[in-house]
Amino acid sequence: MAWLKSTAITLISLLPLHASAEGSVLRSRENNFDVIPPGFTLLGKPSGEATISIRIALKAANNEGLQSKLYEISTPGSASYGQYLTPDQIKPYAAPSSNSVTAVTSWLQSQNVSAISTGPFGEYLSFSIPVSKANDLLSAEYTNFTYSSSSSSSQAIQTWGLYTSSYSIPANLSEHISLIHPSTAFAPPMNRNSRTVVYPKAGSPSRRAASLKFGTRANTAPASCETLVPPSCLQSLYGIPRTPATQSSNVLGVSALQSNWALESDLELFLTENRPDMSPNTTFSVVSVANGTNPQETGDASFEASLDIQYTVGIATNVPTEFIAVGYSGIDFFTSLTDLAEYLITADEPPQVVTTSYGIAEGFLTPSDAGLMEQVCNSLMQATSRGISLLVSSGDDGAGACTAGATNLTLFTAFPSACPYVTAVGSVTKVSPEVASNFSGGGFSNYFSRPSYQDTAVSSYLSSIGSANEGLYNSSGGRAVPDVAAQGENIPIISNGQHVLEAGTSASSPIFASVISLIDDKLIAEGKPVLGFLNPFIYSNPQAFFDIVDGSTPGLVPADCPGAEGWSALEGWDPATGFGTPNFDALAAAAGLREN
């Protein structure tokens, strides 16, 4: 089955545009600052002499064309399948037109603002100016905010940034400028999708008739795997080979955002205890992005980075692993994701597979954030066009929760897992059989529309559930999450020399990424292209996964969110576990590998 039809991915909610003073266009935040996202506190106006760094995003020449090309080169059966793009081939789609560059640069120069061209394809004009000048330039009123995470045990306040409830640009530039950052979009820090939480019991799932050939249940595993899931359990469940990979050109990337670090000494101890067949000296390389580091003093490691590196190096045996340390100096999550994407777009030899375990629940974002989300998502599309499999944890909020001020669309997914150019990975637990983790993030995006590769599977699911959650989610064509799943509870790691049990979809993503990396290793050995952007392949091959039909994902749905039931795991695709967990042998067969 192939999806060669190009259906443009659009944002369902966009920043309001209004005619303002003569010859200008006003871009405003809904509700101005009357409604401030959770965690943010308004401090007041900064000094006019304070410096603000601004990026103007110019509109890409042809995002729709790049999407069409991406689907063409990623869809099994296409004549162009596996013919991934180089940066030079991406540029005509992603770069702004010369007219856009000239028009916006001329305006800035007329206002005595000197900007430099930044981004892989010159898609940004960047500059730093006093706040008073920024207010004059954009008819804005930048205001200082701080952010405090309610999930932080210390409740420490972090200085966060400057935002404005509206800004104006010349009307003739509206067709050239996608967004200005920072401006109306609040950009909170990311959450790591890993934690241990007690959730309410899931309800009994319903069943639906099969219309496609779906996978069977996972392989048998020792009874001990019900309560502790080290690498040996994953190898048993999913048929993951223990034999070493052979292709040095095949690289598995682990993204580490916002000062999450991994210790080599922790990995050595982890391998000694959990992979005695591997050399305990097996390690990883570090790539610095935006001045990122990875210090090695005891106490520096985070649970997240420890988990990600141990369940890539410890699962994808002998695959070279790259720890992509993205720098952090108070910048927002969207900027960190952009920095990661730009590295992948421009690297001479980027990793073929990358796992990311960070995200923001859509329920904590607003339509004013839509432009930034779209900008980041398009950067991720450029990265996947290079033949990179981007896997992202689907989030740990289950089906979501009622959002303050929301009407009807009360269940939500997360970002960037809702971006249609990444593969969202949900979580399962237990082994006889595997069942959906009740915190596993999933559902239907309120911001991104459903891509064409999902149409058949998702339409079948929606037909099967009738009135469940009616009026509480975007049933009119939102991007559906997750795509697949893997074990995500009772995962033992070692962090700063201490033994820790982790739970969350941030465990599931590196596990699934390791499976894909091992498939890529075999493809390279046979002279075939790697899998690249996975989703068209996944939705063409539901038989390549162990289908999950038990459990559901009420997640954080509170009692005052009437009628919300979460999502049940059913036969075939569902918003609890996608198509299910990886069946290594079936995936290898679907990828066209010779029998082992």
Side-chain angles (χ1 to χ4, degrees):
M1 186 181 300
W3 293 276
L4 295 180
K5 170 186 172 185
S6 173
T7 302
I9 301 302
T10 58
L11 287 172
I12 295 169
S13 300
L14 294 173
L15 188 69
L17 300 179
H18 309 284
S20 183
E22 184 177 355
S24 66
V25 171
L26 176 71
R27 297 182 173 184
S28 62
R29 177 178 177 80
E30 74 286 345
N31 301 316
N32 294 314
F33 285 150
D34 296 337
V35 178
I36 298 173
F40 284 92
T41 301
L42 189 154
L43 286 187
K45 295 181 175 63
S47 165
E49 297 176 355
T51 298
I52 182 171
S53 295
I54 291 176
R55 290 202 305 178
I56 297 179
L58 304 177
K59 292 186 178 179
N62 190 3
N63 279 326
E64 292 79 8
L66 182 57
Q67 182 211 71
S68 178
K69 188 66 175 177
L70 173 63
Y71 288 0
E72 179 184 326
I73 61 179
S74 306
T75 300
S78 165
S80 301
Y81 181 64
Q83 297 178 20
Y84 305 123
L85 306 184
T86 66
D88 285 344
Q89 292 172 318
I90 297 171
K91 184 175 181 178
Y93 299 102
S97 70
S98 58
N99 288 342
S100 293
V101 175
T102 299
V104 179
T105 300
S106 297
W107 168 60
L108 291 174
Q109 289 174 343
S110 73
Q111 303 300 310
N112 297 316
V113 174
S114 178
I116 60 172
S117 177
T118 59
F121 308 112
E123 58 265 55
Y124 298 104
L125 291 173
S126 301
F127 52 91
S128 296
I129 57 176
V131 170
S132 59
K133 188 171 182 64
N135 286 336
D136 291 341
L137 177 70
L138 300 171
S139 299
E141 191 173 343
Y142 277 99
T143 304
N144 200 16
F145 286 80
T146 59
Y147 179 84
S148 177
S149 172
S150 60
S151 63
S152 170
S153 58
S154 65
Q155 295 293 303
I157 298 289
Q158 316 168 36
T159 298
W160 203 250
L162 296 166
Y163 303 99
T164 179
S165 61
S166 65
Y167 66 92
S168 294
I169 57 174
N172 66 308
L173 298 183
S174 184
E175 65 179 293
H176 302 295
I177 295 176
S178 293
L179 60 90
I180 295 177
H181 183 63
S183 61
T184 59
F186 281 84
M190 86 309 183
N191 293 319
R192 72 182 193 94
N193 290 318
S194 181
R195 55 187 175 176
T196 302
V197 182
V198 177
Y199 292 86
K201 283 188 176 182
S204 300
S206 58
R207 293 289 183 267
R208 60 174 163 149
S211 57
L212 295 172
K213 181 180 180 183
F214 301 118
T216 57
R217 303 293 82 79
N219 300 323
T220 58
S224 61
C225 299
E226 290 283 346
T227 55
L228 194 68
V229 189
S232 58
C233 290
L234 300 168
Q235 291 164 337
S236 296
L237 281 169
Y238 304 145
I240 302 172
R242 295 169 172 80
T243 53
T246 61
Q247 303 301 305
S248 61
S249 64
N250 182 45
V251 178
L252 173 54
V254 175
S255 66
L257 309 184
Q258 302 191 351
S259 300
N260 279 274
W261 301 319
L263 296 184
E264 294 175 1
S265 58
D266 286 339
L267 176 60
E268 181 178 356
L269 182 56
F270 178 83
L271 294 176
T272 299
E273 294 185 5
N274 293 286
R275 288 299 306 272
D277 56 319
M278 291 178 64
S279 167
N281 297 320
T282 305
T283 189
F284 53 93
S285 61
V286 177
V287 173
S288 174
V289 174
N291 301 312
T293 60
N294 188 44
Q296 292 296 299
E297 296 295 326
T298 299
D300 287 334
S302 70
F303 292 150
E304 185 56 67
S306 302
L307 168 63
D308 290 347
I309 207 69
Q310 288 164 26
Y311 280 81
T312 47
V313 175
I315 300 296
T317 309
N318 208 42
V319 172
T321 302
E322 187 174 273
F323 187 80
I324 307 170
V326 180
Y328 173 61
S329 56
I331 58 175
D332 58 81
F333 178 54
F334 293 119
T335 300
S336 293
L337 278 178
T338 299
D339 289 339
L340 172 65
E342 291 183 357
Y343 161 67
L344 298 174
I345 294 163
T346 59
D348 290 337
E349 296 181 354
Q352 288 86 348
V353 179
V354 176
T355 176
T356 297
S357 293
Y358 311 89
I360 301 176
E362 280 190 356
F364 297 101
L365 299 170
T366 71
S368 291
D369 301 310
L372 267 178
M373 294 165 68
E374 181 183 30
Q375 190 78 16
V376 173
C377 187
N378 286 336
S379 293
L380 297 173
M381 173 173 62
Q382 295 168 24
T384 57
S385 298
R386 297 202 63 187
I388 301 171
S389 302
L390 296 181
L391 295 103
V392 176
S393 54
S394 68
D396 292 352
D397 293 326
C402 290
T403 309
T407 57
N408 293 327
L409 297 179
T410 55
L411 302 184
F412 51 76
T413 57
F415 183 78
S417 60
C419 172
Y421 312 119
V422 305
T423 299
V425 187
S427 171
V428 300
T429 186
K430 306 297 183 183
V431 297
S432 298
E434 290 185 304
V435 303
S437 295
N438 54 14
F439 59 76
S440 184
F444 302 89
S445 175
N446 294 329
Y447 291 95
F448 292 96
S449 61
R450 188 170 73 210
S452 56
Y453 59 74
Q454 287 193 314
D455 281 345
T456 300
V458 174
S459 295
S460 176
Y461 174 81
L462 291 175
S463 296
S464 75
I465 64 171
S467 61
N469 292 320
E470 186 173 12
L472 297 174
Y473 71 99
N474 177 17
S475 60
S476 61
R479 154 68 159 134
V481 174
D483 303 298
V484 291
Q487 286 282 322
E489 298 190 47
N490 301 313
I491 308 295
I493 68 166
I494 296 172
S495 189
N496 295 307
Q498 301 298 309
H499 291 74
V500 180
L501 271 183
E502 280 287 290
T505 56
S506 63
S508 310
S509 184
I511 290 168
F512 203 100
S514 296
V515 171
I516 298 302
S517 193
L518 289 170
I519 296 289
D520 280 352
D521 179 79
K522 294 179 178 295
L523 287 168
I524 294 171
E526 293 187 7
K528 298 175 180 177
V530 296
L531 291 175
F533 175 46
L534 292 171
N535 293 3
F537 171 82
I538 289 170
Y539 286 81
S540 296
N541 292 284
Q543 79 287 351
F545 306 95
F546 292 121
D547 194 14
I548 310 300
V549 297
D550 296 290
S552 66
T553 59
L556 300 181
V557 173
D560 59 355
C561 190
E565 305 169 5
W567 305 111
S568 294
L570 308 177
E571 189 171 59
W573 183 90
D574 55 68
T577 61
F579 274 118
T581 56
N583 180 339
F584 189 89
D585 288 342
L587 281 167
L593 288 168
R594 295 189 293 267
E595 290 189 17
N596 299 327

